[in-house]
Amino acid sequence: MSSRVLSKMEVISLLPDSGVDEEAPVEEVLDDNNQRRSTRTPSTRPSSSGTSSSSIMLIRKDDLSTDSTRSQINADSPQEDAAPLPSPKLPSGDSCRGIGILVVIVYHMGYKAFMNAWVDISLFFSLSGFLITKATVESIDRQDHMDICKFWAKRISRIFPCVLLVINLIVISQKLPFRHNDGVKFQREATDLWYATIFATNYNLVYLQPDDYFDDFSSPSITRHLWTLSIEEQYYVIWPLIMWALSKLSHLFRGTSSSGMDENKKSGSPCTAFFIRSPQMKDIITFLWILDIAVMVSSYFMSWATIDAMGVTAAYYSTWCRMGDIAAGGFAYTSARLIPWIARRWYEDPTLPPISTKERIIYETMAVLVLLSITVLPLSKIAEEDMFMMYFRYLRFGLSLLVFFNVGTSIQMLHKPLPKWAIASRIMDNKILLFLGKISYGAYVIHWPFLVFFGDPKGVHRKQEVEEGLDFVHHEHMPVFQYHMQNLFIFILTLLVAYLSFFKYEIPFMVKSRVTPPRKTVTLGLLAMGFTLVNIWLLTKDLPPMMTFENDLSLDSSVTLSTRDNRFTPIAMISVSRPVAIILWESLVDMNTRPYNRQYHEVRNVLDDSISFGASNANILIQCKNKAEKRHVCDFKWWNNTYWFWLESNILCDTNSTTQINDLLYFSRKCDDIIQISEIYLSDDNNSSDLNYKEILRAKKKKEYELLFGIDKLIPGVINQNSLALLKGKNKKNDTTPLRITMIGESISLRIGMYWKDYLNLDLPTLDYHPTASEFPTIRLLNNVAVGGHAAIAYWICKTRLAFRYNFCNDLFEKNDMIQQEIYNLETTKADVITIHDMYWAVRTDKVPTSFDRILAFNILAADAIGNGASSIYYLTQSPSLLGNENRAYDLYFQELNYFMEMVDTISCDTTTSNESIGIKVSVLDWAKLICPTVETPGKICKKYGVHNFDDILPDRKHPYGDSGLWLSREALAVVLANYGLQNNYYATFDEALKNPLSEQLLTLAPSDGDPELKDLVTTYMICPYEDLSQLEKDITNKNIPYIRHTVIVNMPSSYSF
């Protein structure tokens, strides 16, 4: 074969299947195609009349696989030296990639119309497996062995140039002025680029720097899209070794040759790939067929195991889970080779008659299925959660095997002219799609960094504004044209750069590699990887350490997560005395022991409450001996694990009434085999008749505390152990305890909490402030339990018996240790002040999709805060939109306040009937206004630069960082402390409260510029959470609060005092 350098157009013509996106490299090498072109002679091609220069037999399809037919074909075939094995084209592969790259770019832009485009990934993995299996099998059939080094050289020359250049440009971009670090972005990027260079992105995104592919609100990794390429390269390392082993085994068991060419030379017949004349090759193909089936089955089962153990994203990124898709491609190819009538037509057997209309209809049906699968599914409106289940249970297998239909589609496309009615084939044969398929690899590698740098990847901000929040489509200030033009610009830029990359950069590397020894190409590729790694290290080594926003998720030393008791053990006191039952209910500090109702007058009431007691781990029922019921309660149907405790106590039990001893004996004798019965006696220190009302209540609480620990001592472990530990901590709390603050929420909370903890650990000790019990308290404990990227408050829903309504409670709450630790931390920290910054309250998400869900979650959070002794909750508004449309920040700001005030209004205290002792103060701390003093003014753009005399108020437009972040967080903490002092009567006015020692120190470290006034940053309300959640649901319905997104009132009502 000549080693001349081919022209670019010759290269394109010799790349029948070379359009490679993220899933497929160049499958057929240039020298193989040159060889095929030069050796195919006109004598073996049908003439325009349907005959060839040699005699042609018309053979029925059913007779293709018979031995007699084969012999007849061989006898009538021209006797000449065997021709090299032909390698047929697969043009439909380029068409699929052309459509695929269009769909994936639009999907990554965040357009909801293509919300399910991710399902097509299986088809493209399978397409890669098909083409690589085809290339390696044909290589063994042609050369009698598997040349591993040559295989790797081809893959390196196709994959490395583009992706390594992009990685180097990304790391260089950190030094350019248009990019800003936020203390995390560049540091994380360095790690992401390192693992992308060694093709281990999927491992990095699952285990090292988790990146949820389906989280539409967290900042994505800049190399997230390279997970597919990593799986491909891992496959390219393993696959040639398997093929080499198979070729060696075929030599061992079948002789010295496995080449169909050698067999044909011995027999004097031409090479006919469609008959697999070589027994060795048939063994190899058959073994691959079986191996692919085994890999597919095991991979699909492994997917479900991974989902159960680690979640959907881990399964989506998993190499082994994706091997099933790639194996499906190999299965499709080997099946095509083993089915004679498909193989003969695809490999262009010259003895076949022209393609018939009946065959064309079959192939057109295949083309329709392929086209529909890559277009209709991405456009489907099926909810993402439902699509997950459908994909992993049903769709994935079918989508993977659709690549087999690409063979029929390609056969149709290769036999021109196409009939007018073959619409699907004509679409797939479109030159634009074929061309896009050629440049799709470069377009895929390039488009995601462009979106991260200049656009809105996955439409994160857009989802908050359009899909989940404000109805900007009908808003006069909606920058819809600007948004779409931005995406159109990125789209055109991506295709233009991909075009230039393919012709001016990628093709020269491929051409050069064809005349370069394979070992040299592999060596140069590895050196290029090494150079890239060194470049990443040199350009990132001087970065400051990543800001580690460590949260305080550890529980009490006695209640670690590994020993956490997650049982539900409801406790009920059967009594007609409401105060006793209510006091007990208030003592049960969490949802692990708190039943649905607060009072049970008689046993029948308990038995009717199947929500609390029907599916619990242990049912604990308490009744005073002197209140024993006269009815035969043992005749009722009891649940398993029910424990009955007879109680004697002058304080807790009314001593005026008595119970006949015979009734108790009957109860014990009749019920002993059904429920476990025990007795508890509590000695009373005082005669209750000598105590006033408040003293009686205090004594009752003390006795109920003794009662619960007495039950646990009598039957160890019967009560949830975490609940007892928390109850013990709660009773130790006293009025002289210094201020405790807990921060919950997502990533912005995490950062604010970090700055506050730095103040507590570094600055506060220098104040040397030691207050007395009557003075403004110092901060003793500041727990930062925020978890980045999670709708933290929404998970409080999972602590109720209504959790079964919400899928995420099963999918995440049960498996995510961090979430469990966050929502249980209130019970261990016993915070006085709970501070929240949670972006998910500003938008509608799959976690809190309706108004009821949002209000329910906040109601549970407030009840939890009250139960754990908190006095106030501070809600920080979202960081404002910077440098956007003049009304963008204004609209989003008031949208959030509308949502929040909807919750406050619903669970606000009824001042005429409610007792504020069961309520809690909720204050709105205007974080948005602190960042952008003009956020309340319509038509004003929130500036990013020069605000409060800082060069950049929010470097990444979202999170506090650097000097500006330190200033913002100190101002916010000073306001929280001052407002706490005002609420708890340490000071008479807010201005006086700002002079408390802690706020005064904070404002000395971070002087306020008076814009805005600090007293204007906080507004306080009183809320009383519902005890009966069913009543909450009814009241929301009666108030006509919709279960779907309502039209947002842009102008805040004046009564809200904002």
Side-chain angles (χ1 to χ4, degrees):
M1 184 189 76
S2 174
S3 61
R4 70 181 179 87
V5 177
L6 303 176
S7 70
K8 294 170 185 173
M9 293 313 297
E10 285 180 307
V11 171
I12 291 294
S13 66
L14 295 176
L15 290 176
D17 308 312
S18 63
V20 183
D21 65 356
E22 70 276 19
E23 281 81 31
V26 172
E27 303 80 12
E28 298 183 346
V29 296
L30 305 184
D31 50 355
D32 291 343
N33 284 280
N34 264 330
Q35 188 180 38
R36 186 189 73 214
R37 277 183 136 207
S38 62
T39 55
R40 181 176 288 167
T41 61
S43 62
T44 62
R45 306 283 288 177
S47 66
S48 59
S49 62
T51 61
S52 65
S53 57
S54 59
S55 60
I56 302 296
M57 283 194 311
L58 300 182
I59 303 172
R60 289 181 23 227
K61 195 186 306 181
D62 296 340
D63 297 332
L64 290 177
S65 60
T66 62
D67 292 337
S68 60
T69 303
R70 296 184 187 186
S71 300
Q72 192 173 1
I73 290 175
N74 291 333
D76 293 340
S77 299
Q79 302 299 312
E80 56 184 53
D81 290 341
L85 180 71
S87 183
K89 299 179 181 180
L90 193 73
S92 64
D94 281 336
S95 303
C96 287
R97 294 192 200 100
I99 297 173
I101 193 60
L102 296 178
V103 170
V104 78
I105 291 177
V106 175
Y107 167 62
H108 283 165
M109 287 178 174
Y111 286 101
K112 194 172 182 179
F114 292 86
M115 61 183 293
N116 288 314
W118 55 272
V119 301
D120 279 346
I121 195 69
S122 291
L123 176 60
F124 296 112
F125 272 125
S126 300
L127 189 61
S128 177
F130 182 97
L131 295 167
I132 290 300
T133 303
K134 171 178 175 289
T136 51
V137 168
E138 289 174 355
S139 177
I140 293 177
D141 206 1
R142 183 185 301 117
Q143 302 174 8
D144 194 27
H145 69 283
M146 177 66 211
D147 191 333
I148 297 177
C149 193
K150 187 176 182 180
F151 176 89
W152 284 337
K154 293 172 184 176
R155 305 286 74 78
I156 287 173
S157 66
R158 183 65 184 104
I159 300 298
F160 279 30
C162 184
V163 71
L164 293 184
L165 176 63
V166 169
I167 290 173
N168 280 283
L169 291 177
I170 290 174
V171 72
I172 291 172
S173 73
Q174 292 188 356
K175 304 300 181 181
L176 300 179
F178 76 93
R179 300 201 65 199
H180 300 275
N181 190 20
D182 62 356
V184 174
K185 182 187 299 182
F186 286 1
Q187 290 85 343
R188 171 169 182 164
E189 203 170 88
T191 303
D192 289 342
L193 293 172
W194 180 279
Y195 280 92
T197 303
I198 62 174
F199 299 100
T201 295
N202 59 326
Y203 173 83
N204 176 48
L205 297 183
V206 172
Y207 295 102
L208 302 180
Q209 298 191 139
D211 182 90
D212 189 345
Y213 189 84
F214 301 103
D215 185 351
D216 291 335
F217 294 96
S218 61
S219 298
S221 165
I222 199 169
T223 61
R224 173 191 284 181
H225 66 309
L226 297 183
W227 72 273
T228 55
L229 197 60
S230 296
I231 291 178
E232 288 290 336
E233 288 300 306
Q234 294 159 21
Y235 168 62
Y236 299 152
V237 171
I238 298 172
W239 183 249
L241 301 176
I242 295 175
M243 295 302 295
W244 176 84
L246 287 178
S247 65
K248 292 299 181 183
L249 287 174
S250 69
H251 286 188
L252 180 64
F253 292 104
R254 287 284 190 175
T256 59
S257 174
S258 64
S259 172
M261 186 188 302
D262 290 346
E263 292 291 327
N264 290 324
K265 283 182 178 179
K266 292 177 183 178
S267 63
S269 62
C271 175
T272 52
F274 32 83
F275 278 144
I276 316 179
R277 294 291 297 268
S278 164
Q280 291 90 337
M281 282 309 303
K282 186 169 185 179
D283 289 346
I284 290 175
I285 293 175
T286 302
F287 180 82
L288 286 177
W289 186 81
I290 297 172
L291 177 64
D292 287 330
I293 292 177
V295 172
M296 281 192 294
V297 173
S298 58
S299 176
Y300 291 133
F301 280 110
M302 183 64 71
S303 296
W304 281 107
T306 304
I307 290 173
D308 289 339
M310 303 176 65
V312 173
T313 292
Y316 194 77
Y317 287 145
S318 169
T319 299
W320 179 243
C321 294
R322 287 300 173 187
M323 281 299 111
D325 297 337
I326 296 176
F331 172 80
Y333 172 74
T334 53
S335 297
R337 287 292 301 270
L338 293 171
I339 301 174
W341 70 274
I342 288 286
R344 293 186 67 190
R345 184 63 76 184
W346 188 31
Y347 277 83
E348 300 182 35
D349 180 1
T351 63
L352 285 178
I355 189 170
S356 66
T357 301
K358 182 178 179 181
E359 279 187 272
R360 285 195 179 277
I361 292 174
I362 295 174
Y363 298 143
E364 179 64 14
T365 303
M366 295 181 179
V368 170
L369 291 173
V370 172
L371 189 60
L372 290 178
S373 69
I374 59 178
T375 56
V376 174
L377 281 177
L379 292 169
S380 65
K381 302 303 180 185
I382 301 172
E384 197 172 64
E385 297 86 352
D386 297 333
M387 184 59 81
F388 287 153
M389 297 301 102
M390 291 176 61
Y391 174 74
F392 283 103
R393 286 181 180 174
Y394 316 113
L395 295 178
R396 185 177 164 210
F397 182 78
L399 287 170
S400 300
L401 293 180
L402 270 175
V403 70
F404 179 79
F405 292 164
N406 274 36
V407 177
T409 305
S410 295
I411 292 173
Q412 178 91 305
M413 294 167 64
L414 290 171
H415 288 77
K416 305 289 179 62
L418 295 174
K420 293 183 178 180
W421 51 263
I423 298 175
S425 298
R426 286 178 173 274
I427 294 174
M428 299 288 281
D429 197 44
N430 183 276
K431 291 183 179 180
I432 296 177
L433 290 181
L434 292 172
F435 177 76
L436 288 174
K438 301 289 184 186
I439 66 171
S440 59
Y441 169 60
Y444 182 81
V445 172
I446 294 166
H447 87 283
W448 185 253
F450 279 169
L451 279 174
V452 173
F453 289 161
F454 310 116
D456 185 11
K458 293 199 76 176
V460 171
H461 302 298
R462 185 70 175 174
K463 279 184 171 63
Q464 297 179 35
E465 298 166 3
V466 179
E467 299 172 10
E468 309 294 357
L470 291 172
D471 187 5
F472 275 117
V473 175
H474 304 295
H475 196 279
E476 59 179 344
H477 297 292
M478 166 54 188
V480 63
F481 179 79
Q482 176 185 345
Y483 177 79
H484 295 316
M485 287 300 100
Q486 172 186 277
N487 285 336
L488 179 61
F489 170 75
I490 294 174
F491 183 83
I492 294 174
L493 180 64
T494 295
L495 296 185
L496 178 62
V497 174
Y499 171 84
L500 295 175
S501 172
F502 186 68
F503 281 100
K504 301 294 184 181
Y505 180 65
E506 298 170 48
I507 283 180
F509 272 100
M510 289 187 286
V511 172
K512 181 66 175 177
S513 71
R514 300 315 186 244
V515 294
T516 302
R519 292 182 183 275
K520 184 177 180 180
T521 300
V522 173
T523 302
L524 290 174
L526 295 176
L527 289 175
M529 286 180 63
F531 169 81
T532 302
L533 294 173
V534 171
N535 190 37
I536 294 170
W537 177 75
L538 289 174
L539 293 176
T540 60
K541 65 183 179 67
D542 295 327
L543 289 173
M546 182 186 293
M547 294 178 70
T548 55
F549 303 99
E550 297 180 359
N551 42 26
D552 308 302
L553 290 176
S554 59
L555 304 170
D556 280 349
S557 58
S558 60
V559 190
T560 61
L561 184 67
S562 60
T563 60
R564 170 163 288 283
D565 188 349
N566 290 314
R567 296 175 303 145
F568 175 51
T569 58
I571 304 172
M573 175 171 278
I574 304 171
S575 173
V576 296
S577 175
R578 181 172 174 79
V580 173
I582 296 303
I583 292 171
L584 177 63
W585 187 88
E586 289 177 347
S587 299
L588 305 178
V589 294
D590 66 5
M591 298 299 176
N592 287 327
T593 55
R594 191 175 293 168
Y596 188 77
N597 295 317
R598 298 184 66 173
Q599 182 182 14
Y600 300 92
H601 293 284
E602 56 185 21
V603 175
R604 186 181 297 276
N605 298 141
V606 176
L607 295 171
D608 290 339
D609 186 6
S610 58
I611 295 178
S612 296
F613 298 94
S616 60
N617 299 94
N619 303 300
I620 301 165
L621 306 179
I622 306 166
Q623 190 172 40
C624 294
K625 276 189 174 183
N626 58 350
K627 302 290 185 179
E629 297 183 41
K630 306 303 180 182
R631 70 181 70 203
H632 297 164
V633 296
C634 300
D635 295 334
F636 297 137
K637 184 177 181 181
W638 291 90
W639 305 286
N640 294 329
N641 301 320
T642 297
Y643 299 85
W644 185 283
F645 294 91
W646 288 118
L647 173 63
E648 288 187 62
S649 170
N650 292 333
I651 293 291
L652 295 178
C653 300
D654 185 359
T655 56
N656 293 331
S657 60
T658 58
T659 299
Q660 297 296 326
I661 191 66
N662 292 334
D663 294 334
L664 297 180
L665 291 175
Y666 175 84
F667 181 91
S668 300
R669 185 172 61 252
K670 184 76 174 177
C671 304
D672 195 43
D673 295 335
I674 304 173
I675 56 179
Q676 185 169 336
I677 303 172
S678 305
E679 294 187 22
I680 291 181
Y681 173 75
L682 299 178
S683 61
D684 297 320
D685 299 329
N686 301 302
N687 188 337
S688 59
S689 61
D690 299 331
L691 303 177
N692 61 36
Y693 179 71
K694 288 187 176 181
E695 290 173 333
I696 291 175
L697 288 180
R698 192 177 298 114
K700 286 181 181 292
K701 282 195 173 186
K702 179 180 178 182
K703 287 303 170 185
E704 287 185 337
Y705 175 82
E706 295 176 5
L707 169 63
L708 296 180
F709 279 91
I711 291 174
D712 185 68
K713 185 176 181 180
L714 192 62
I715 305 179
V718 68
I719 300 178
N720 183 287
Q721 296 300 291
N722 294 127
S723 298
L724 289 177
L726 301 176
L727 181 60
K728 187 176 182 180
K730 182 177 180 180
N731 279 268
K732 284 184 178 180
K733 196 169 181 178
N734 54 61
D735 295 335
T736 62
T737 301
L739 187 62
R740 300 168 183 244
I741 301 176
T742 290
M743 171 68 79
I744 63 175
E746 30 64 42
S747 58
I748 297 178
S749 278
L750 199 58
R751 295 198 181 201
I752 296 173
M754 182 205 69
Y755 284 116
W756 288 6
K757 287 207 71 173
D758 284 347
Y759 166 74
L760 175 66
N761 296 328
L762 302 177
D763 298 317
L764 183 57
T766 65
L767 185 61
D768 196 26
Y769 177 57
H770 304 286
T772 64
S774 61
E775 293 179 315
F776 183 82
T778 187
I779 302 175
R780 174 184 175 186
L781 187 68
L782 200 157
N783 279 85
N784 183 17
V785 298
V787 177
H790 288 281
I793 303 176
Y795 290 93
W796 260 266
I797 294 175
C798 303
K799 299 183 74 172
T800 73
R801 303 280 72 79
L802 298 179
F804 68 91
R805 295 184 182 180
Y806 302 90
N807 292 332
F808 65 86
C809 288
N810 294 325
D811 297 339
L812 292 174
F813 175 74
E814 295 293 339
K815 302 169 187 175
N816 193 312
D817 292 346
M818 296 181 71
I819 294 298
Q820 291 189 55
Q821 288 173 317
E822 181 177 23
I823 66 174
Y824 281 108
N825 234 284
L826 297 185
E827 300 161 1
T828 53
T829 60
K830 299 298 176 185
D832 300 284
V833 174
I834 299 169
T835 312
I836 305 166
H837 187 292
D838 198 325
M839 64 175 288
Y840 294 86
W841 291 104
V843 297
R844 204 167 46 85
T845 73
D846 59 340
K847 303 295 189 302
V848 281
T850 71
S851 295
F852 171 72
D853 300 322
R854 188 180 296 108
I855 295 168
L856 172 64
F858 195 78
N859 185 87
I860 299 302
L861 168 65
D864 216 13
I866 294 171
N868 288 287
S871 64
S872 55
I873 298 173
Y874 286 82
Y875 175 82
L876 277 67
T877 55
Q878 308 305 302
S879 297
S881 176
L882 303 180
L883 296 178
N885 174 272
E886 61 268 15
N887 268 10
R888 183 179 182 186
Y890 170 84
D891 290 337
L892 292 174
Y893 172 74
F894 280 108
Q895 167 195 284
E896 178 185 6
L897 294 181
N898 270 282
Y899 278 150
F900 188 79
M901 290 310 304
E902 180 184 66
M903 294 185 296
V904 171
D905 286 346
T906 303
I907 57 178
S908 61
C909 296
D910 185 346
T911 56
T912 61
T913 59
S914 294
N915 181 357
E916 290 196 355
S917 63
I918 61 171
I920 189 170
K921 295 181 179 69
V922 175
S923 300
V924 176
L925 178 60
D926 211 334
W927 174 259
K929 191 174 181 179
L930 179 62
I931 295 171
C932 175
T934 61
V935 71
E936 292 181 311
T937 308
K940 289 285 188 178
I941 295 177
C942 283
K943 297 179 181 179
K944 188 173 188 289
Y945 307 106
V947 183
H948 298 302
N949 297 318
F950 289 103
D951 292 338
D952 193 340
I953 192 68
L954 290 179
D956 70 344
R957 295 185 172 89
K958 184 177 180 181
H959 301 89
Y961 175 61
D963 292 339
S964 60
L966 187 63
W967 183 85
L968 290 169
S969 61
R970 284 174 172 173
E971 294 282 300
L973 182 56
V975 172
V976 169
L977 294 173
N979 198 57
Y980 178 84
L982 183 63
Q983 289 179 1
N984 291 274
N985 301 318
Y986 289 102
Y987 304 97
T989 66
F990 188 84
D991 289 336
E992 291 179 9
L994 276 175
K995 296 178 181 179
N996 75 76
L998 278 66
S999 293
E1000 198 169 42
Q1001 182 190 31
L1002 286 164
L1003 295 176
T1004 301
L1005 296 170
S1008 173
D1009 59 5
D1011 187 19
E1013 292 287 342
L1014 296 185
K1015 65 182 179 181
D1016 296 334
L1017 293 178
V1018 63
T1019 308
T1020 302
Y1021 306 89
M1022 191 74 183
I1023 63 171
C1024 296
Y1026 281 68
E1027 302 166 5
D1028 187 345
L1029 300 182
S1030 61
Q1031 185 62 45
L1032 171 62
E1033 190 167 9
K1034 291 177 183 178
D1035 287 351
I1036 290 176
T1037 304
N1038 294 335
K1039 291 180 181 180
N1040 295 319
I1041 296 178
Y1043 274 56
I1044 59 175
R1045 179 171 61 87
H1046 58 282
T1047 302
V1048 176
I1049 304 171
V1050 175
N1051 295 318
M1052 180 64 83
S1054 58
S1055 61
Y1056 288 167
S1057 302
F1058 281 99

